Amino acid sequence: MEQTSVSIGVANMLYNCAEALAGQRILIAYEPPEFGFFDADVVTCVAQEATKLGFIVDLMNVGFESWSPKFSDELLDRMDGADVVVFLARIGDQLRFSGMLRDMVIVNSYTLNKTMLGSPFASAHYGAFLELKSAVDRLIAEAEEILITCPKGTFITGRPNLYHVPACDTTLRRFPLSVFSPVPASGFSGRVALAGFLTGTGSHYYEDYTVEFEGATIAVLKDGRLVGFEGAASDVAKANAQYDRVSALFGIDRNFVHSWHAGIHPGCGFTGDAAENYEAWGGAAFGNPRVLHFHTCGAYAPGEISWNTLDPTIWIDGVAYWKAGCFQAELLPEGREILERYPCAGRTFANPDRSIGIGRLWS
């Protein structure tokens, strides 16, 4: 049977990420398209292709809960009868740090539509990015100094202080795997050039989830604490008002900056306009190496407000492993070997998707 790009993506998810075996039961817990996040076609594609591969497929509409996401009794019962659970729903992302059942194989998919499912984002071998993530994690854990810059004025320096970070940074498997483990911000200071807005992290969804700025705006960081903002008076006022409101809404530490990480998957493209749907943008585009984001506002991962900066250069002990938004994976100690072992990943790095849905606010 000839494989299409979509069927390769689904096979990659089930065989290489979930390590599933034909004949097993797959529960697809999905969020319906009326919530404006996942398209209906991606659910249909995953279900159809999984069936063709010989899996027993069960579908469950889990809806969307913006405020207090939790597993319903019905969902827990359906999960209990499955060998693998695939979330095409935000509840998987919302509970990725704390709410998952650790003795189950659970996959949270960031393929929001059929286009993403059929792109190199999904078809490039999961194992390649698992190995690249591990290589970056080891490199950062051993680093003496990290410097982050960007064309708009970001200048952040620090040490990773990874001694207290658990070996597993979430309680499920992410597909595609597109970021390294969050790096604690406690050892970092400097200035972050924001990409024209502040938006939520996908932990909770609240009214006025995003605020846009009129001009260049800088967030100032000192030892993992927000010191303040720089820019036009109106933009600084907007930023401070957002932090005041969101921190009061959840009763959290307003100025705590938890961690940061950047994208590692050059196949992660976002072809829409971020300004038309910041929620979907934040749930998909973060895996592109052109995007680096901080988790802020709340002393927990991922916090409630993210800082996004674009086209970062990340120097780790003097080597630019990210250069102007390009992840130079071949510079990793084992990077070239990984890319040679997984030619599909090598081709993706050779032809990166630079589409991230942001132009107007960053130009």
Side-chain angles (χ1 to χ4, degrees), residues 20-75:
L21 301 173
Q24 289 186 319
R25 292 184 175 273
I26 307 293
L27 172 62
I28 300 174
Y30 71 93
E31 178 180 321
E34 54 261 34
F35 290 106
F37 202 85
F38 287 91
D39 288 355
D41 58 3
V42 74
V43 178
T44 301
C45 285
V46 173
Q48 290 178 343
E49 295 298 333
T51 301
K52 290 178 185 177
L53 291 170
F55 294 98
I56 301 168
V57 176
D58 185 18
L59 288 163
M60 182 178 177
N61 180 345
V62 295
F64 169 62
E65 175 54 61
S66 62
W67 196 256
S68 299
K70 61 182 179 181
F71 294 146
S72 66
D73 291 340
E74 181 185 1
L75 176 56

Side-chain angles (χ1 to χ4, degrees), residues 239-355:
N240 282 318
Q242 185 76 340
Y243 270 82
D244 291 342
R245 185 177 68 86
V246 174
S247 61
L249 188 64
F250 295 102
I252 55 181
D253 188 338
R254 177 192 192 276
N255 296 326
F256 193 94
V257 180
H258 184 275
S259 53
W260 62 271
H261 51 189
I264 65 170
H265 203 311
C268 179
F270 190 90
T271 57
D273 184 347
E276 294 181 357
N277 190 337
Y278 280 108
E279 294 180 10
W281 181 86
F286 65 90
N288 192 298
R290 292 190 63 197
V291 180
L292 181 149
H293 68 270
F294 282 78
H295 307 128
T296 84
C297 195
Y300 53 89
E304 298 297 340
I305 299 176
S306 66
W307 298 343
N308 293 277
T309 194
L310 307 183
D311 296 329
T313 296
I314 306 175
W315 302 81
I316 302 174
D317 289 337
V319 178
Y321 291 95
W322 278 252
K323 187 174 182 180
C326 291
F327 175 30
Q328 303 186 113
E330 71 278 4
L331 298 182
L332 295 168
E334 55 268 67
R336 194 174 300 277
E337 178 185 342
I338 293 170
L339 296 181
E340 289 175 352
R341 191 161 58 251
Y342 298 96
C344 55
R347 290 190 295 271
T348 303
F349 275 88
N351 299 281
D353 191 334
R354 302 285 288 173
S355 304

Side-chain angles (χ1 to χ4, degrees), residues 142-202:
E142 297 168 359
E144 292 295 324
E145 183 180 42
I146 296 176
L147 167 64
I148 304 168
T149 64
C150 85
K152 299 292 185 179
T154 295
F155 192 91
I156 292 284
T157 59
R159 299 186 63 173
N161 296 335
L162 282 169
Y163 58 89
H164 67 278
V165 176
C168 180
D169 54 323
T170 66
T171 55
L172 47 64
R173 304 183 191 193
R174 293 169 291 183
F175 179 83
L177 185 55
S178 58
V179 288
F180 52 85
S181 298
V183 181
S186 58
F188 288 83
S189 300
R191 305 165 79 249
V192 178
L194 304 177
F197 57 89
L198 293 171
T199 192
T201 63

